[in-house]
Amino acid sequence: MLIYSHEIVVAVVACGDRLAETLVMIKSAILFTQSPLRFIVVADEPLIPSFKEKLNEWRTIMNNSFTYEVRLITFPLEENVEEWRRLFKPCAAQRLFLPSVLSNVDSLLYVDTDTLFLAPLEDVWRHFDLMNSSQMAALSPEHEDPNTGWYNRFAKHPYYGQLGVNSGVMLMNLTRMRAFSWTSYVVPVYKEYKLKITWGDQDIINIIFHFHPDKLYVYPCRYNYRPDHCMYMPICKSAESDGVAVLHGSRGSFHAEKQPAFRAIYRAMEEYQLGTDPYVNLLVTIRNYLELTSSTNCDRIYHRIVETLLKKFKEHNSE
């Protein structure tokens, strides 16, 4: 595994009831990553004390292996702030303004709160090195199969490529985005298409990259693996061959009965205590919970997840 001497920066936006979900995501990142980690949590004011308390506790347990900062939600606009806060999910539109809000940060990995890392963050971060000089962000496709694609069948606005992109796991070169004047595109796009967008900030991102496709790097679906990739049949080839790097429990999949295996993996990670044996206290728990779930079309990939984690923990124990 490639170890980076510089920090891997992870940013997340959390509002309302997303405290617990965000902390589980952060826990998974700490567990799997050996490079220096820095978390930037942008949150509603009521959540800030709880984030600081838990992250301070984890820093002590993990011998200060990561740093963090918790910032208050900020929209650098003079008008319609509440409208932006309510766009799609609470505060999700904050991500659109990170190049301006985080003016001293060069690059970061943005993730939605409903994500889990099942591989080292170095595996995702290395794609910065694979971008060409014009590309300023990386995303995975929204769909793999045009027969079930949403954008190609229903969208009333422009979108990237043939099937659109999903914005839940996004590498962002903020320096290049600022040079591109990213924020100056966001507001006009919203004003022009506000009556046609369904998925809020994701649609705005799709529209911008539709008109500037050379600015986007597309990485495989294993970096943003969602129920859509297996609910009907396995359609994410990179996850089948190389395992799931980032599990995205979109549409409440970590908490609903409809995708029991997504829920089982999230539950196991939520219960896992940092600093304890991940083989005994995470992998075995995942196996046990998966055995209790009903059979679904996603079973094949869950066996692949267990195999990948088993290999990872065996390598760690042999070091």
Side-chain angles (χ1 to χ4, degrees), residues 102-216:
L102 304 177
S103 58
N104 62 336
V105 178
D106 173 64
S107 299
L108 55 79
L109 171 61
Y110 168 89
V111 289
D112 285 347
T113 62
D114 56 352
T115 53
L116 287 179
F117 293 100
L118 298 177
L121 266 69
E122 292 90 345
D123 194 10
V124 188
W125 195 262
R126 68 184 176 86
H127 287 275
F128 275 125
D129 296 330
L130 301 179
M131 292 182 186
N132 65 37
S133 59
S134 69
Q135 292 166 333
M136 60 186 183
L139 293 166
S140 66
E142 171 67 16
H143 300 283
E144 300 292 318
D145 178 11
N147 293 320
T148 58
W150 192 91
Y151 281 108
N152 60 302
R153 293 187 297 157
F154 304 116
K156 295 179 172 60
H157 58 77
Y159 53 89
Y160 177 84
Q162 299 299 312
L163 298 172
V165 284
N166 183 280
S167 60
V169 184
M170 184 175 185
L171 288 174
M172 304 172 71
N173 186 317
L174 301 186
T175 299
R176 293 181 184 177
M177 295 176 81
R178 286 187 286 267
F180 175 74
S181 298
W182 172 267
T183 304
S184 68
Y185 283 86
V186 168
V187 177
V189 164
Y190 174 65
K191 287 182 177 179
E192 181 173 352
Y193 295 101
K194 62 186 296 185
L195 299 180
K196 297 180 179 180
I197 61 176
T198 301
W199 307 114
D201 53 313
Q202 176 171 295
D203 289 346
I204 291 173
I205 290 169
N206 265 277
I207 292 167
I208 293 175
F209 285 122
H210 169 85
F211 292 109
H212 302 277
D214 60 307
K215 301 296 183 182
L216 182 65

Side-chain angles (χ1 to χ4, degrees), residues 66-313:
F66 67 91
T67 60
Y68 77 89
E69 58 182 289
V70 184
R71 304 171 61 115
L72 184 64
I73 291 284
T74 305
F75 289 96
L77 301 170
E78 296 180 357
E79 57 181 346
N80 299 328
V81 171
E82 285 305 312
E83 187 174 353
W84 283 103
R85 285 177 64 91
R86 296 192 302 268
L87 181 66
F88 191 46
K89 296 179 181 178
C91 303
Q94 173 75 93
R95 171 251 308 275
L96 296 171
F97 301 101
L98 290 181
S100 300
V101 172
L102 304 177
S103 58
N104 62 336
V105 178
D106 173 64
S107 299
L108 55 79
L109 171 61
Y110 168 89
V111 289
D112 285 347
T113 62
D114 56 352
T115 53
L116 287 179
F117 293 100
L118 298 177
L121 266 69
E122 292 90 345
D123 194 10
V124 188
W125 195 262
R126 68 184 176 86
H127 287 275
F128 275 125
D129 296 330
L130 301 179
M131 292 182 186
N132 65 37
S133 59
S134 69
Q135 292 166 333
M136 60 186 183
L139 293 166
S140 66
E142 171 67 16
H143 300 283
E144 300 292 318
D145 178 11
N147 293 320
T148 58
W150 192 91
Y151 281 108
N152 60 302
R153 293 187 297 157
F154 304 116
K156 295 179 172 60
H157 58 77
Y159 53 89
Y160 177 84
Q162 299 299 312
L163 298 172
V165 284
N166 183 280
S167 60
V169 184
M170 184 175 185
L171 288 174
M172 304 172 71
N173 186 317
L174 301 186
T175 299
R176 293 181 184 177
M177 295 176 81
R178 286 187 286 267
F180 175 74
S181 298
W182 172 267
T183 304
S184 68
Y185 283 86
V186 168
V187 177
V189 164
Y190 174 65
K191 287 182 177 179
E192 181 173 352
Y193 295 101
K194 62 186 296 185
L195 299 180
K196 297 180 179 180
I197 61 176
T198 301
W199 307 114
D201 53 313
Q202 176 171 295
D203 289 346
I204 291 173
I205 290 169
N206 265 277
I207 292 167
I208 293 175
F209 285 122
H210 169 85
F211 292 109
H212 302 277
D214 60 307
K215 301 296 183 182
L216 182 65
Y217 172 98
V218 179
Y219 48 32
C221 46
R222 66 182 294 259
Y223 297 103
N224 188 348
Y225 191 88
R226 287 162 280 124
D228 296 351
H229 291 125
C230 59
M231 65 170 57
Y232 302 115
M233 65 180 70
I235 57 174
C236 179
K237 294 180 180 179
S238 61
E240 294 277 330
S241 60
D242 301 318
V244 174
V246 186
L247 190 69
H248 185 177
S250 56
R251 296 192 295 278
S253 300
F254 285 152
H255 313 289
E257 297 290 345
K258 191 173 182 180
Q259 294 296 334
F262 270 71
R263 185 178 181 182
I265 294 170
Y266 176 86
R267 179 184 173 193
M269 186 66 75
E270 183 178 36
E271 294 175 0
Y272 172 72
Q273 299 295 312
L274 279 174
T276 66
D277 185 341
Y279 177 84
V280 174
N281 297 319
L282 179 62
L283 180 61
V284 172
T285 305
I286 288 175
R287 280 176 164 171
N288 291 340
Y289 285 162
L290 288 176
E291 288 177 1
L292 297 174
T293 64
S294 56
S295 178
T296 69
N297 289 333
C298 293
D299 284 356
R300 179 176 172 184
I301 197 62
Y302 298 130
H303 290 301
R304 186 74 176 88
I305 287 172
V306 171
E307 290 171 6
T308 303
L309 292 179
L310 178 59
K311 180 181 178 182
K312 165 66 181 173
F313 295 144

